[in-house]
């Protein structure tokens, strides 16, 4: 049941109006919060009651309906999030059916036996008054809290100060985790030191579900911490219609109620403003870095020299070794288009993903103690990495690739393609590595390689992907495999697929037959037709090599 402002079942049972009333099922739901009271006039009441209602009725209403209808009322009431049901059992019934009580108990849905001599109106009015008084008091407190947070903003206090302010108000441990911060900011002063690690572990478990990074709803749950169930509230921090982190609060010292939730919501809005300030600063930094990278890869020698002169600002030594890692980002085909259109007429959602990936890349570079510059433009993130010698490059790239894979795992709404260029000595040659990384991305997609494609591992594609060879490659394709492609299109055959299977299985016709789910004699016939149409002999090493390369060229040219 989501959080309501009001009074709990447990507190209501202690009121004078509930004297002689008792809970007879669903005891574990005694902490459910009542935000309103309703009376059952007919069995259709479930269609218009609301979450947080305490539903009151008489045994006479229950007596008129079947056992199944009675169970449906309990089931649907629990499903809709009602706080509980109060039933005046006597004198209309001796007792409620055991099946009804058992169902309520299994659902942790409170059923209260109302004392027969107590009018329902004598229960409703006091409860309504108590709810009203509490909400009025809560509104006054919230107004003061709002002023506190606004004053903190006006005084320029940082997110750590705001986190402390949350903890001071709710008197419970608090942790703020943001994408734009390098670490969690916690306020754990009010708990024992041995419990702190338990809470940190609880945060890690929360993020094991990748959907947490984008869910915009408040999460409330009972967490088993140190052999005891503790209420936890997690409020997302939303800026530019995207989740940039969460505020965690645990009811370790005192219960988390409507007041605590209100404090967390106000804090979330306040922190979101701080996030926007951080993003604005990062935007300026990224613009400066992007200009540096663009000048460095420019064909204009003056722009390139200008970039080299600024290298010291980024702790780069002109004489070191450099390579490019380029990441291309796009929305997945199965993600609704509306998720990548302008939101509030201001920002493109894909740009937000780009910004988030950018932040994680920079964090990874710092964590791995690498020297580099990260710049974003349109759908690309260009990463310049600098090394003093060759020895550490391979290890660093392996670790960096793992970091990129973990980032890709986190952002499920986007497709990432990563290319690594060759190492080049001297900063002025970085453009060569950048071109290699772009080719690695294109070729990796064709070959359906892993997320990260290293240009050095492309084999013959390192040669075939050279831009100046495109015309020659097209001519080679036309003179080798194109007649086979045309024949397939005209006759609806699968000779090209058969030829690919031939090379995949080293010419083993039996394996080809199994792979293609085709009779051995049919495969043999197809191989003969391939040689006739292409006028090449698969027994001839040169012809065989030409046909195999032509298949790769077909992939590369997208034919």
């Amino acid at each position: 049941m989501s959080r309501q402002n009001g009074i709990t079942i447990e507190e209501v049972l202690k009121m004078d109006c509930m004297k002689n009333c008792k809970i007879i099922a669903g005891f574990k739901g005694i902490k459910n919060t009542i935000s309103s009271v309703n009376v059952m006039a007919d069995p259709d009441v479930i269609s218009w009651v609301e979450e947080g209602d305490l539903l009151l009725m008489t045994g006479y209403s229950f007596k008129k309906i079947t056992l199944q209808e009675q169970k449906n009322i309990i089931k649907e009431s629990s499903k809709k999030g009602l706080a509980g049901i109060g039933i005046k059992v006597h004198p209309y019934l001796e007792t409620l059916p055991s099946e009804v009580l058992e169902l309520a108990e299994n659902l942790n849905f409170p059923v209260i036996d109302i004392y027969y001599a107590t009018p329902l109106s004598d229960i409703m009015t006091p409860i309504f008054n108590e709810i009203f008084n509490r909400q009025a008091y809560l509104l006054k407190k919230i107004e003061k809290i709002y002023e506190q947070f606004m004053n903190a903003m006006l005084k320029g206090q940082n997110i750590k100060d705001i986190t402390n302010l949350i903890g001071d108000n709710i008197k419970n441990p608090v942790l703020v985790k943001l994408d734009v911060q390098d670490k969690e900011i916690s306020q754990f002063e009010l708990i024992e030191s041995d419990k702190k690690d338990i809470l940190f572990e609880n945060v890690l478990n929360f993020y094991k579900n990748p959907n947490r990074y984008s869910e915009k709803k408040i999460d409330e749950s009972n967490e088993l911490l140190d052999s005891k169930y503790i209420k936890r509230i997690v409020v997302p921090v939303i800026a530019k219609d995207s989740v940039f982190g969460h505020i965690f609060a645990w009811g370790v010292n005192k219960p988390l109620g409507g007041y605590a939730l209100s404090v967390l919501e106000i804090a979330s809005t306040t922190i979101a403003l701080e996030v926007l300030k951080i993003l604005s600063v990062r935007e300026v930094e990224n613009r400066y870095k992007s200009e540096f990278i663009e000048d460095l890869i420019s064909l204009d020698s003056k722009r390139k020299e200008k970039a080299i002169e600024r290298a010291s600002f980024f702790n780069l030594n002109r004489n070191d070794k450099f390579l490019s890692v380029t990441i291309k980002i796009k929305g997945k085909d199965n993600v609704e288009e509306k998720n990548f259109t302008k939101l509030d007429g201001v920002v493109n959602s894909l740009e937000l993903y780009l910004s988030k990936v950018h932040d994680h890349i920079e964090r990874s570079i710092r964590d791995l103690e690498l020297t580099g510059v990260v710049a974003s433009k349109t759908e690309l993130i260009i990463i310049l990495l600098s090394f003093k010698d060759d020895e550490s490059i391979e290890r660093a790239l392996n670790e960096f690739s793992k970091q990129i894979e973990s980032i890709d795992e986190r952002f499920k709404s986007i497709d990432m393609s990563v290319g690594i260029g060759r190492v080049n000595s001297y900063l002025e040659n970085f453009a060569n590595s950048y071109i290699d990384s772009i080719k690695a991305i294109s070729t990796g997609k064709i070959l359906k390689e892993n997320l990260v494609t290293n240009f050095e591992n492309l084999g013959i594609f390192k040669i075939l992907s050279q831009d100046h060879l495109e015309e020659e490659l097209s001519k080679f394709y036309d003179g080798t495999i194109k007649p086979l492609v045309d024949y397939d299109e005209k006759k609806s055959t699968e000779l090209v697929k058969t030829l690919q299977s031939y090379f995949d299985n080293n010419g083993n016709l039996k394996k080809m037959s199994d792979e293609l789910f085709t009779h051995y004699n049919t495969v043999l016939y197809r191989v003969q037709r391939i040689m006739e149409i292409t006028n090449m002999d698969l027994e001839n090493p040169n012809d065989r090599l030409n046909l195999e390369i032509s298949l790769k060229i077909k992939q590369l040219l997208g034919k």
Side-chain angles (χ1 to χ4, degrees):
M1 187 173 79
S2 66
R3 177 69 54 188
Q4 300 285 332
N5 292 326
I7 182 171
T8 66
I9 295 281
E10 184 177 32
E11 290 170 324
V12 161
L13 287 171
K14 295 176 182 178
M15 294 174 64
D16 289 340
C17 64
M18 297 295 284
K19 189 177 181 181
N20 299 320
C21 299
K22 59 182 179 180
I23 188 167
I24 56 176
F27 296 89
K28 289 184 179 179
I30 200 167
K31 298 292 185 182
N32 288 358
T33 303
I34 302 167
S35 58
S36 184
V37 185
N38 225 317
V39 175
M40 181 174 174
D42 59 70
D44 292 334
V45 69
I46 299 303
S47 62
W48 45 267
V49 291
E50 295 183 355
E51 184 178 2
D53 278 358
L54 173 64
L55 182 60
L56 302 179
M57 64 182 73
T58 66
Y60 180 73
S61 301
F62 242 48
K63 187 177 182 180
K64 291 196 304 179
I65 59 179
T66 65
L67 175 62
Q68 186 58 49
E69 288 173 325
Q70 294 175 13
K71 292 171 67 175
N72 285 342
I73 287 177
I74 299 296
K75 187 184 299 182
E76 290 302 313
S77 296
S78 175
K79 186 177 179 181
K80 290 198 71 170
L82 270 66
I85 285 181
I87 303 176
K88 187 181 289 191
V89 179
H90 299 284
Y92 310 103
L93 295 167
E94 284 296 322
T95 183
L96 292 182
S98 58
E99 292 95 329
V100 172
L101 295 176
E102 184 179 344
L103 175 62
E105 189 66 28
N106 290 336
L107 293 173
N108 298 326
F109 183 71
V111 177
I112 301 169
D113 184 357
I114 303 294
Y115 185 55
Y116 76 93
T118 304
L120 296 184
S121 59
D122 286 359
I123 293 174
M124 292 179 65
T125 302
I127 293 177
F128 268 125
N129 287 339
E130 185 64 24
I131 291 171
F132 176 80
N133 291 335
R134 290 192 180 203
Q135 290 182 342
Y137 175 69
L138 180 62
L139 285 172
K140 286 184 179 179
K141 289 184 70 175
I142 290 172
E143 186 177 350
K144 290 182 179 179
I145 295 300
Y146 181 79
E147 289 177 3
Q148 286 183 31
F149 280 99
M150 287 302 101
N151 288 334
M153 282 289 297
L154 293 172
K155 290 177 181 178
Q157 293 184 343
N158 57 31
I159 294 174
K160 175 64 177 173
D161 297 322
I162 295 171
T163 304
N164 291 336
L165 192 56
I166 302 170
D168 292 342
N169 275 286
I170 68 173
K171 308 300 181 186
N172 273 306
V174 177
L175 182 143
V176 176
K177 184 173 177 61
L178 298 174
D179 284 348
V180 292
Q181 293 282 340
D182 288 342
K183 58 183 179 181
E184 299 97 347
I185 301 170
S186 60
Q187 215 281 33
F188 288 170
E189 294 179 6
L190 298 175
I191 61 171
E192 300 168 7
S193 57
D194 61 327
K195 291 183 179 179
K196 294 178 182 179
D197 289 339
I198 296 174
L199 298 187
F200 281 121
E201 182 68 24
N202 187 246
V203 172
L204 290 176
N205 290 335
F206 176 83
Y207 286 112
K208 283 183 178 179
N209 179 355
N211 293 329
R212 302 292 196 185
Y213 293 103
S214 57
E215 287 179 347
K216 298 176 184 176
K217 63 183 181 181
I218 295 171
D219 179 86
E220 296 186 59
S221 60
N222 287 311
E223 300 293 306
L224 183 61
L225 304 175
D226 198 20
S227 303
K228 192 163 65 174
Y229 279 98
I230 301 293
K231 172 69 76 176
R232 183 190 70 189
I233 300 179
V234 185
V235 179
V237 177
I238 301 173
K240 294 186 175 183
D241 201 44
S242 184
V243 176
F244 278 87
H246 296 86
I247 306 173
F248 295 79
W250 296 267
V252 174
N253 302 317
K254 58 185 296 188
L256 294 174
Y259 170 71
L261 178 60
S262 297
V263 171
L264 293 170
E265 288 178 319
I266 294 170
S268 172
T269 303
T270 308
I271 292 174
L273 294 174
E274 284 296 304
V275 169
L276 288 173
K277 285 166 60 177
I278 293 171
L279 291 177
S280 297
V281 172
R282 296 242 176 123
E283 200 173 305
V284 174
E285 291 176 350
N286 180 58
R287 190 157 51 241
Y288 186 69
K289 291 175 182 178
S290 295
E291 288 174 0
F292 170 73
I293 294 289
E294 287 174 8
D295 286 344
L296 195 58
I297 62 179
S298 171
L299 296 176
D300 187 328
S301 58
K302 290 183 178 179
R303 287 181 63 185
K304 182 173 290 190
E305 192 57 41
K306 177 184 172 185
I308 292 172
E309 289 173 1
R310 286 183 287 153
S312 59
F313 289 113
F314 303 101
N315 297 318
L316 302 176
N317 186 323
R318 180 175 186 170
N319 298 320
D320 285 345
K321 297 176 181 296
F322 299 89
L323 65 79
S324 170
V325 179
T326 302
I327 303 175
K328 187 172 184 179
I329 293 176
K330 69 172 186 175
K332 285 189 174 176
D333 294 336
N334 61 347
V335 176
E336 293 184 31
E337 187 178 345
K338 67 180 181 181
N339 291 330
F340 296 97
T341 55
K342 287 203 170 183
L343 303 168
D344 300 326
V346 176
V347 66
N348 188 287
S349 201
L350 189 57
E351 291 175 8
L352 282 176
Y353 280 112
L354 194 73
S355 174
K356 287 187 175 186
V357 173
H358 181 123
D359 287 343
H360 281 273
I361 293 294
E362 288 200 325
R363 195 171 307 155
S364 297
I365 289 175
R366 288 195 295 271
D367 291 344
L368 296 173
E369 298 181 344
L370 300 175
T371 301
V373 179
V374 185
S376 306
K377 65 172 188 176
T378 318
E379 296 181 341
L380 292 180
I381 295 177
I382 304 170
I383 306 158
L384 178 152
L385 294 178
S386 171
F387 301 92
K388 296 292 182 186
D389 52 60
D390 293 326
E391 294 178 5
S392 59
I393 295 177
E394 185 176 354
R395 179 194 61 79
L397 284 181
N398 286 336
E399 292 299 320
F400 191 54
S401 295
K402 290 177 184 177
Q403 293 283 337
I404 292 174
E405 287 170 0
S406 68
I407 293 170
D408 178 64
E409 180 65 23
R410 169 173 175 174
F411 295 104
K412 297 294 188 181
S413 297
I414 57 173
D415 266 328
M416 289 172 53
S417 304
V418 185
I420 300 177
R422 285 177 288 193
V423 178
N424 283 261
S425 297
Y426 308 112
L427 187 57
E428 52 264 41
N429 294 324
F430 172 74
N432 297 331
S433 183
Y434 169 69
I435 293 170
D436 287 345
S437 67
I438 294 296
K439 290 176 180 176
I441 289 174
S442 301
T443 309
K445 287 180 180 178
I446 294 167
L447 299 177
K448 296 181 181 178
E449 292 286 322
N450 296 326
L451 170 68
V452 181
T453 304
N454 194 324
F455 188 83
E456 287 283 19
N457 300 331
L458 290 180
I460 193 172
F461 280 99
K462 287 163 66 175
I463 299 172
L464 298 180
S465 63
Q466 300 303 314
D467 293 335
H468 65 277
L469 293 178
E470 186 170 347
E471 185 178 348
E472 284 299 323
L473 293 178
S474 293
K475 290 180 180 178
F476 185 83
Y477 167 80
D478 291 344
T480 50
I481 201 176
K482 187 175 186 299
L484 208 59
V485 173
D486 293 342
Y487 185 88
D488 273 350
E489 290 179 355
K490 185 178 180 180
K491 301 290 187 179
S492 298
T493 53
E494 293 185 329
L495 297 184
V496 174
K497 183 178 179 181
T498 303
L499 180 61
Q500 183 63 61
S501 179
Y502 178 90
F503 291 113
D504 291 343
N505 293 284
N506 296 315
N508 186 315
L509 299 183
K510 177 64 172 65
K511 289 183 178 179
M512 290 171 62
S513 175
D514 293 340
E515 181 180 87
L516 298 170
F517 300 103
T518 306
H519 193 276
Y520 181 91
N521 290 337
T522 303
V523 172
L524 181 60
Y525 170 76
R526 286 184 186 178
V527 170
Q528 291 171 341
R529 288 296 293 144
I530 289 168
M531 292 191 288
E532 291 171 4
I533 293 169
T534 60
N535 198 28
M536 290 188 179
D537 186 357
L538 285 169
E539 297 298 322
N540 183 299
N542 289 329
D543 285 354
R544 192 163 58 243
L545 177 62
N546 286 338
L547 285 172
E548 187 170 9
I549 290 176
S550 68
L551 283 173
K552 296 185 182 299
I553 291 173
K554 179 180 181 295
Q555 289 179 291
L556 196 62
L557 298 179
K559 299 289 189 179

